[in-house]
Amino acid sequence: MAERTIRLHLQVEGVVQGVGFRPFVYSLAKSWQLSGVVGNNSLGAFVELEGSEDAVAGFQRDLRLQAPPLAVIDRVTAREVTPTGLQTGFRIAGSQLARLGQTQIAPDCATCADCLRELTDPDDRRYGYPFINCTNCGPRLTIVQDVPYDRPRTTMAGFPMCEPCRREYDDPGDRRFHAQPVCCADCGPRLRLSGFEGGPGEVIAKVAQLLREGQIVAVKGLGGYHLAVDATSDRGTRTLRQRKHRDEKAFAVMVSDLEMARSLAEIAPADELLLTSPARPIVLVPRREPAGLVAAAVAPGQRQLGLMLPYTPLHVLLMREFAGPLVLTSGNVSEEPIAFLDGDARQRLGGIADAFLTHDRPIHLRVDDSVARSFRGEPMLIRRSRGYAPRAIRLPVTAARPVLGCGAELKSTFCLAQGDSATLSPHLGDLKNYETFRSYADGITHLSRLVGISPVVVAHDLHPDYLSTKHAQELAESGLELAGVQHHHAHIASCLVDNGSPGPVIGVAFDGTGYGTDGTLWGGEFLVADLVQARRAGHLAAVPMPGGESAVRQPWRMAAAYCAQLAATPAVAQRYPREWEAVTRLAGSGFAAPPTSSAGRLFDAVACLVGVRDEVSYEGQAAVELEQLANQAARGWYQSEIREFGEMPFQIRGADLVAAVLADLERNVPAADIAMRFHRGLALSIADGCQLIRETSGLGTVALSGGVFQNVLLLELAVAHLERRGFKVLTHRRIPANDGGISIGQAAIAATRDAGSADAR
């Protein structure tokens, strides 16, 4: 009896465009002797197959098992259609332009092993060509202008392919089949060095020479410009700091390979996986002592280095020629967004860079480097950008109507959600900068078009002065629905999304500040939360912030506020003989001293008291340095009282921890031991607070979120305490714990509430 012939239509959703998916399907179908067609559409990719039932079943199985390395298959929808019997082969169709729904754009990806082999093979026609790529690597998000993802809709449209490249592009058996950025030295982008003429090899050799001489070179990368200088040159790195107006924040360092990375830092297996992953983020790792090759000005006073490996062929060639560690920091003046347009870069970086290494492939979308570190053998993203964005994240709920999460104001991102999929934008930065805010507003429009999501519901922070909130209100004027979401609830929701959980949980949200439902500044919060609502169950006891925002920049003010509560006069007061008394009076006046429960401000106070620093030049600096100061071999810990108020939220007295710090200072206990005891004391308070909530709520799962939990010392201590008490603990991995994750938390909450409202209707 002849086996039945069937014809199946498959709709494949996920990251399936620009990653070699169509040639993969073509080869797979031919191996199963199936006829049909594959093509791109606005949902992803469509496949029609005709053949025996067994062959079609085998194809469906292998579709997921053997997919290309960069492909991410989220969903396959299959339906039987009537066999035609007309097709005798399998073909690849052009893209369908109809707007059918969502699609996903692949992130920019580091150069693959096959391209690296060709890059260094003298017999290959792309030998030494700094823009080599294929379907498994190269630019994606930064060059795409519209969907479907085809060459005419990218910034490669201005580079007509030569005949050899066209043959590769049209050959389904070639790994460059429909690789939209495919090019070579004859038809593609060309490298340029200001004031110098020559081929790619000569240009790169000249740049390496300039760097060895201590000069600063602006280098055009995938998502924008970097500023490069010899990382071993103290003079060069100090000059870069002066010109860039970046006083102390560490520079990222590019190293040629893992061997060089290991010579500079302790590289754990999880760090190695991050460094060599296709995303190639900057990875924060413990530096070796002594610092060795790296100049002191690269990361002053830091026990860590931010290392990354080359992720473009241009970087690979440059690192091989330079043969040493290279500072590669964002191409901007401090606090500005990274430059990515050529004319703007020359104007903004002309006073910093001594030379410009550029090329003529336009960058369509500005994208910063991602930053990560490892925790318990797993990656933990601190800044989610190049290499990760805009890969969609699965929601534990379904957004029945399209949602935009507008995010926070610092470390800003936005999020677009529909169905069970959420697209988190690349890191944008501080919206108070006009250029960043313009990128933010334009980015929402651009990414909405790319992923096919037109928001109906707009979720925003409760802070009325956030520019993201004001942008949401402007969108509401065109008829979109507003959904306000409390800042720390959004933090916990982002952790729930990261772990695929709808809650409820005990949420611990520790950060700098966030607008509370009572109009005060929160930041040390214990919540009972799910993706619909959150109840404030406890918090750090509030203290005044003398001078408001000034207290963020000057931690000594927070030290004064805590010491005023304790009627103490620490040694730091002697450094401010005139200001100290005025600030302590201000703290008690209630004027220009808003109360805050912020854990970040508690860290600031302690950091100041132990002599870490009185003032900061970037957000979180004092807390970062206090973490690095801590002597993990020290004995002892501090304790703080939990005050209960019946039905009201309990309060943890941060002042008790400060009092213990002051007592140890009086006993001349080393600052490093005090820093460790403080971390242990705060972690113990977290566990005590969660245990108190469990006794009344019965909840046994804790979600830890907020920028304070990027401190892996505190995170490890808190998780260990909680696990010993039988809690299940959720932490961040794919989504930043800081404000970079706020937008996806907002979107998840708004979507869940919207679904509940629809059910009620």
Side-chain angles (χ1 to χ4, degrees):
M1 185 175 182
E3 190 174 0
R4 185 170 78 98
T5 296
I6 64 170
R7 188 175 183 89
L8 209 61
H9 179 92
L10 304 177
Q11 179 62 56
V12 187
E13 298 174 52
V15 183
V16 291
Q17 293 188 17
V19 293
F21 189 75
R22 287 182 298 170
F24 157 70
V25 169
Y26 173 89
S27 299
L28 185 62
K30 289 179 72 71
S31 71
W32 283 102
Q33 299 181 325
L34 296 168
S35 62
V37 61
V38 61
N40 288 339
N41 61 19
S42 295
L43 281 171
F46 68 92
V47 186
E48 283 210 4
L49 304 162
E50 188 166 320
S52 69
E53 279 187 289
D54 285 348
V56 170
F59 174 92
Q60 287 181 277
R61 181 190 67 240
D62 291 346
L63 184 70
R64 287 185 179 274
L65 293 176
Q66 300 176 19
L70 298 184
V72 179
I73 298 176
D74 290 333
R75 182 184 294 108
V76 179
T77 305
R79 59 183 173 86
E80 276 201 47
V81 294
T82 304
T84 67
L86 299 176
Q87 289 177 297
T88 57
F90 197 89
R91 66 186 179 89
I92 297 175
S95 299
Q96 296 181 355
L97 300 181
R99 285 270 178 209
L100 300 177
Q102 293 176 256
T103 189
Q104 291 187 37
I105 304 299
D108 300 272
C109 183
T111 311
C112 70
D114 288 330
C115 284
L116 285 175
R117 278 192 291 271
E118 294 172 349
L119 182 70
T120 55
D121 180 359
D123 295 327
D124 192 275
R125 74 184 190 92
R126 291 187 175 88
Y127 172 64
Y129 181 58
F131 305 100
I132 189 171
N133 68 86
C134 69
T135 54
N136 295 324
C137 66
R140 297 291 190 276
L141 175 64
T142 51
I143 64 169
V144 65
Q145 296 168 313
D146 206 348
V147 290
Y149 176 63
D150 288 323
R151 193 178 181 103
R153 297 176 188 85
T154 73
T155 60
M156 288 297 296
F159 298 94
M161 282 180 274
C162 65
E163 190 54 38
C165 284
R166 171 60 68 179
R167 284 197 300 270
E168 294 170 328
Y169 184 87
D170 289 336
D171 181 1
D174 194 285
R175 83 173 196 281
R176 291 191 170 90
F177 175 76
H178 280 226
Q180 307 309 336
V182 66
C183 57
C184 69
D186 292 331
C187 65
R190 286 169 171 77
L191 208 56
R192 297 170 180 166
L193 175 63
S194 53
F196 182 82
E197 296 292 331
E202 296 167 304
V203 166
I204 289 169
K206 180 63 176 179
V207 171
Q209 177 190 332
L210 295 176
L211 291 167
R212 283 191 288 269
E213 293 170 356
Q215 296 197 44
I216 298 166
V217 180
V219 179
K220 185 178 180 181
L222 274 181
Y225 278 77
H226 287 97
L227 293 165
V229 72
D230 181 359
T232 69
S233 168
D234 191 59
R235 180 182 64 83
T237 51
R238 281 189 285 107
T239 300
L240 177 56
R241 285 202 177 278
Q242 292 164 1
R243 294 182 185 176
K244 188 177 159 70
H245 305 302
R246 183 164 173 159
D247 296 333
E248 296 168 298
K249 194 172 185 180
F251 289 138
V253 176
M254 180 169 278
V255 291
S256 57
D257 51 32
L258 283 174
E259 182 180 357
M260 187 180 291
R262 292 191 182 100
S263 72
L264 301 178
E266 301 287 345
I267 308 296
D271 301 324
E272 181 176 330
L273 289 175
L274 277 168
L275 284 166
T276 58
S277 71
R280 291 288 202 283
I282 299 168
V283 183
L284 303 181
V285 287
R287 66 192 300 169
R288 289 189 180 277
E289 297 295 344
L293 286 176
V294 175
V298 169
Q302 298 291 307
R303 291 187 181 179
Q304 291 186 322
L305 287 175
L307 300 183
M308 60 176 159
L309 294 182
Y311 55 85
T312 72
L314 173 57
H315 292 134
V316 171
L317 294 169
L318 181 57
M319 293 304 296
R320 290 188 178 190
E321 185 71 29
F322 182 68
L326 196 64
V327 165
L328 206 68
T329 188
S330 53
N332 58 7
V333 177
S334 185
E335 305 305 324
E336 290 183 357
I338 186 173
F340 74 106
L341 299 174
D342 296 335
D344 179 59
R346 288 195 174 274
Q347 181 177 354
R348 289 168 54 199
L349 306 180
I352 303 176
D354 300 304
F356 281 77
L357 177 60
T358 68
H359 55 78
D360 54 354
R361 183 179 68 204
I363 299 170
H364 186 70
L365 187 70
R366 168 195 287 124
V367 178
D368 260 312
D369 293 319
S370 293
V371 181
R373 67 191 304 181
S374 62
F375 174 68
R376 290 192 165 190
E378 297 288 337
M380 185 173 80
L381 284 179
I382 293 170
R383 187 167 76 193
R384 188 179 188 271
S385 203
R386 177 189 51 76
Y388 296 98
R391 181 163 292 153
I393 296 170
R394 183 69 60 87
L395 293 172
V397 296
T398 299
R401 296 190 295 170
V403 178
L404 166 66
C406 287
E409 186 149 277
L410 299 177
K411 297 181 173 62
S412 178
T413 62
F414 61 85
C415 178
L416 294 157
Q418 186 169 338
D420 62 357
S421 179
T423 300
L424 188 60
S425 77
H427 163 85
L428 290 160
D430 183 356
L431 295 187
K432 290 179 182 177
N433 179 280
Y434 170 74
E435 190 64 34
T436 303
F437 181 74
R438 193 173 69 174
S439 290
Y440 167 84
D442 292 346
I444 291 173
T445 302
H446 178 61
L447 199 57
S448 295
R449 185 174 70 250
L450 290 187
V451 301
I453 294 177
S454 298
V456 173
V457 180
V458 180
H460 63 87
D461 196 273
L462 298 182
H463 199 303
D465 294 330
Y466 275 5
L467 290 177
S468 56
T469 302
K470 293 180 178 180
H471 186 68
Q473 292 166 344
E474 289 178 8
L475 293 174
E477 293 175 2
S478 61
L480 278 64
E481 296 179 24
L482 287 179
V485 178
Q486 199 277 323
H487 188 89
H488 300 94
H489 186 194
H491 268 310
I492 299 305
S494 72
C495 188
L496 290 175
V497 172
D498 207 347
N499 289 273
S501 170
V505 295
I506 300 168
V508 184
F510 277 18
D511 63 0
T513 52
Y515 197 79
T517 56
D518 60 0
T520 66
L521 299 176
W522 293 6
E525 308 310 309
F526 293 79
L527 308 176
V528 173
D530 56 20
L531 292 178
V532 175
Q533 58 190 357
R535 173 176 63 85
R536 194 186 197 194
H539 57 88
L540 292 177
V543 295
M545 279 179 63
E549 283 296 311
S550 295
V552 178
R553 298 186 296 273
Q554 298 176 318
W556 71 266
R557 290 174 175 264
M558 291 310 304
Y562 271 102
C563 289
Q565 286 192 350
L566 298 166
T569 305
V572 63
Q574 298 172 14
R575 299 198 289 273
Y576 299 91
R578 289 193 299 270
E579 298 97 328
W580 187 268
E581 185 179 348
V583 167
T584 54
R585 282 201 307 270
L586 186 65
S589 70
F591 176 74
T596 181
S597 58
S598 167
R601 303 290 78 81
L602 173 60
F603 266 89
D604 285 350
V606 173
C608 172
L609 291 170
V610 300
V612 168
R613 65 177 49 250
D614 295 350
E615 300 186 6
V616 298
S617 60
Y618 61 88
E619 187 198 12
Q621 182 180 11
V624 167
E625 293 178 359
L626 185 66
E627 175 194 1
Q628 295 189 13
L629 174 67
N631 171 22
Q632 298 190 36
R635 295 183 176 183
W637 63 89
Y638 301 143
Q639 289 187 310
S640 55
E641 178 189 357
I642 297 183
R643 293 181 174 179
E644 299 182 62
F645 303 93
E647 297 299 315
M648 300 290 288
F650 64 78
Q651 295 184 18
I652 294 176
R653 274 180 51 85
D656 290 347
L657 300 176
V658 174
V661 168
L662 293 172
D664 269 357
L665 286 170
E666 284 290 322
R667 290 191 289 267
N668 294 318
V669 174
D673 291 9
I674 294 173
M676 189 65 204
R677 291 175 181 179
F678 168 73
H679 277 83
R680 288 184 183 137
L682 188 56
L684 183 62
S685 296
I686 290 168
D688 288 343
C690 291
Q691 184 167 314
L692 197 59
I693 297 172
R694 179 169 59 183
E695 291 169 2
T696 57
S697 69
L699 294 172
T701 301
V702 177
L704 304 177
S705 191
V708 169
F709 286 114
Q710 290 175 163
N711 178 327
V712 294
L713 174 57
L714 178 68
L715 184 62
E716 175 57 48
L717 291 167
V719 171
H721 273 303
L722 290 164
E723 287 179 341
R724 279 196 293 269
R725 299 187 192 197
F727 286 101
K728 177 182 178 183
V729 186
L730 307 181
T731 61
H732 283 265
R733 300 182 305 279
R734 301 170 297 159
I735 299 170
N738 60 39
D739 281 6
I742 286 287
S743 63
I744 197 169
Q746 292 170 340
I749 291 167
T752 311
R753 289 174 178 171
D754 191 50
S757 299
D759 291 343
R761 291 193 296 267

